[in-house]
Amino acid sequence: ILNVEQSPQSLHVQEGDSTNFTCSFPSSNFYALHWYRWETAKSPEALFVMTLNGDEKKKGRISATLNTKEGYSYLYIKGSQPEDSATYLCAFRRMEYGNKLVFGAGTILRVKS
Amino acid sequence: DTEVTQTPKHLVMGMTNKKSLKCEQHMGHRAMYWYKQKAKKPPELMFVYSYEKLSINESVPSRFSPECPNSSLLNLHLHALQPEDSALYLCASSQVGGGLANTGELFFGEGSRLTVL
């Protein structure tokens, strides 16, 4: 059974705070790790796709790191803004699973102004 | 604006009804997916089509019947559903193959919210 765990389940922060969440996944036969941002009543949108151990990706104030040997990825948001409020999903692809992406339940972020 | 369009956005049906969910994309993607998501749970993969052929069926009950009539369209036919099938149904598409240029990123629609009475 392939489980992807995300923590915390939800997070409430003040505008300007920096925050981070964790995604844990099985470390064997790793192929790729995806992060998606899902705003209410919209479609999930990809933030990052990471494939190499030690990968670091950045998009504006959001960045992510990847450790495939120990099976975790961190997503960081610097100086949170109300528009960052969304559910952040991570998803894991194993080498032998072809097109199958297994998702975590997500971290719900609410940023108060 | 999403490039994957799902209709209807909301659907209420009885357990004896037959209905369909539709998904359309014009990005030239040759892989299309159905995911099911219940509140506070991960999206769960149901089906994957690759080059219009069913490549993954995650042991989904036969009351859900997928169809991929062409490379742009994906349908999910619903018949004799149960109340526990009420959920958000997400369609997604992606590239297939393409080596390093293909990140495997999924492009999602906004989902169809299904309620079974």
Side-chain angles (χ1 to χ4, degrees), chain A residues 57-113:
Chain A
K57 301 258 185 180
K58 188 174 180 183
K59 186 182 288 189
R61 293 178 291 99
I62 305 177
S63 60
T65 61
L66 177 67
N67 183 323
T68 62
K69 294 188 188 308
E70 295 182 40
Y72 64 84
S73 175
Y74 293 137
L75 188 79
Y76 300 92
I77 302 179
K78 185 177 177 182
S80 303
Q81 299 296 308
E83 58 265 32
D84 296 328
S85 296
T87 298
Y88 291 83
L89 294 168
C90 74
F92 166 71
R93 174 171 283 162
R94 212 171 206 172
M95 202 165 290
E96 68 271 26
Y97 281 10
N99 287 347
K100 180 174 177 176
L101 260 188
V102 177
F103 281 84
T107 292
I108 300 169
L109 174 67
R110 293 289 174 258
V111 183
K112 297 179 186 176
S113 57

Side-chain angles (χ1 to χ4, degrees), chain B residues 2 12 17 19 31-32 36 42 44 48 52 76 92 112:
Chain B
T2 182
V12 179
N17 291 158
K19 297 284 184 183
M32 295 188 77
K36 170 182 177 179
E44 293 179 359
V48 181
E52 295 87 69
L76 186 63
S112 293

